[in-house]
Amino acid sequence: FLFRFGRRFESPLLWQSIIMIITMLLMLKLCTEVRVSNELNIKRRSFAAADSKDEEIKAPPKRSYLDFDLNYFWHWSKFTDYVQCVLTFTGVTGYITYLWLDSSLFVETLGFLAVFTEAMLGVPQLYRNYHNRSTEGMSVKMVLMWTSGDTFKTVYFILNQAPFQFSICGLLQVFVDIAILLQVYLYSSYPQKPASHPAHPASAKAL
């Protein structure tokens, strides 16, 4: 999104980015609600200041300025904490972008990092499949839809001469999709061992 302030590109690509962000946030909200509802640990983790209390001994609420623990980064108990983190990150990067907007090197690097991050969304699922030697919960049809969508998007980038960051990272994303597709085929045909934790295909490319 911020990349467009430094280098103009087609509006459909901008809207695609906005829709993608909103979709990911909605999926993140759903995943957080499901995880917290099944969580036995009563310790609540948050990104920003929050009222904390020990539910076991009923201690009086204590106001902490910052309940931030790197060990629980991006593993908070409320969706609002994720929103606060995203807004903080956007504000900081937006200010830095404003200061360095005249630097073509910064703008091109910003664009590459942004699109590269999106291209890597499937890597955690790829690693989990490899670690568990299983693709339980995933289907060939679902991964084929991922691959076809990313392929169509990449072809669009190339044909419309989008900034090179889009084309390169789009090809990388297709490569990751194909790798996951091969895992689904191989592990379903030659199962190695059951997954220690069930795969969550709905959130694979979001978290």
Side-chain angles (χ1 to χ4, degrees):
F1 178 77
L2 295 174
F3 180 41
R4 196 169 193 264
F5 289 98
R7 182 173 179 181
R8 303 285 294 184
F9 51 81
E10 291 186 345
S11 296
L13 299 182
L14 175 63
W15 285 110
Q16 181 262 342
S17 300
I18 294 175
I19 294 173
M20 182 80 157
I21 292 172
I22 295 174
T23 302
M24 292 301 176
L25 287 175
L26 292 175
M27 294 178 67
L28 179 60
K29 183 177 185 298
L30 177 61
C31 291
T32 303
E33 292 175 349
V34 173
R35 176 174 55 82
V36 172
S37 65
N38 296 325
E39 199 173 54
L40 298 178
N41 183 11
I42 61 174
K43 173 63 177 177
R44 297 303 181 186
R45 301 291 176 176
S46 61
F47 170 73
D51 288 325
S52 60
K53 62 180 179 179
D54 189 327
E55 297 181 8
E56 291 184 336
I57 62 176
K58 302 299 181 181
K62 294 181 180 180
R63 185 70 179 178
S64 60
Y65 177 71
L66 189 66
D67 182 20
F68 182 79
D69 188 343
L70 284 177
N71 294 325
Y72 291 89
F73 181 79
W74 210 252
H75 196 71
W76 301 307
S77 303
K78 293 182 179 180
F79 174 68
T80 53
D81 294 304
Y82 294 96
V83 175
Q84 291 175 22
C85 181
V86 171
L87 291 178
T88 300
F89 175 79
T90 303
V92 173
T93 53
Y95 179 70
I96 295 175
T97 302
Y98 173 76
L99 295 178
W100 290 85
L101 200 58
D102 294 332
S103 172
S104 59
L105 177 61
F106 173 83
V107 171
E108 296 298 336
T109 302
L110 175 67
F112 175 78
L113 291 177
V115 185
F116 179 77
T117 300
E118 180 185 356
M120 292 291 101
L121 291 178
V123 173
Q125 185 68 60
L126 179 69
Y127 173 77
R128 171 175 287 184
N129 295 342
Y130 173 78
H131 177 74
N132 294 329
R133 296 293 193 277
S134 172
T135 55
E136 182 182 355
M138 304 186 70
S139 67
V140 175
K141 292 181 180 179
M142 179 185 67
V143 183
L144 280 174
M145 286 191 293
W146 285 359
T147 308
S148 59
D150 291 334
T151 301
F152 175 82
K153 180 174 63 177
T154 303
V155 171
Y156 178 87
F157 294 157
I158 296 174
L159 293 179
N160 288 273
Q161 298 182 341
F164 73 94
Q165 293 94 335
F166 288 88
S167 300
I168 293 176
C169 293
L171 291 172
L172 180 60
Q173 194 167 12
V174 172
F175 174 78
V176 173
D177 291 341
I178 294 176
I180 295 177
L181 183 62
L182 289 175
Q183 285 182 327
V184 174
Y185 172 75
L186 291 175
Y187 293 149
S188 60
S189 301
Y190 309 99
Q192 302 294 318
K193 67 176 183 178
S196 57
H197 298 285
H200 299 284
S203 61
K205 305 193 76 175
L207 302 180

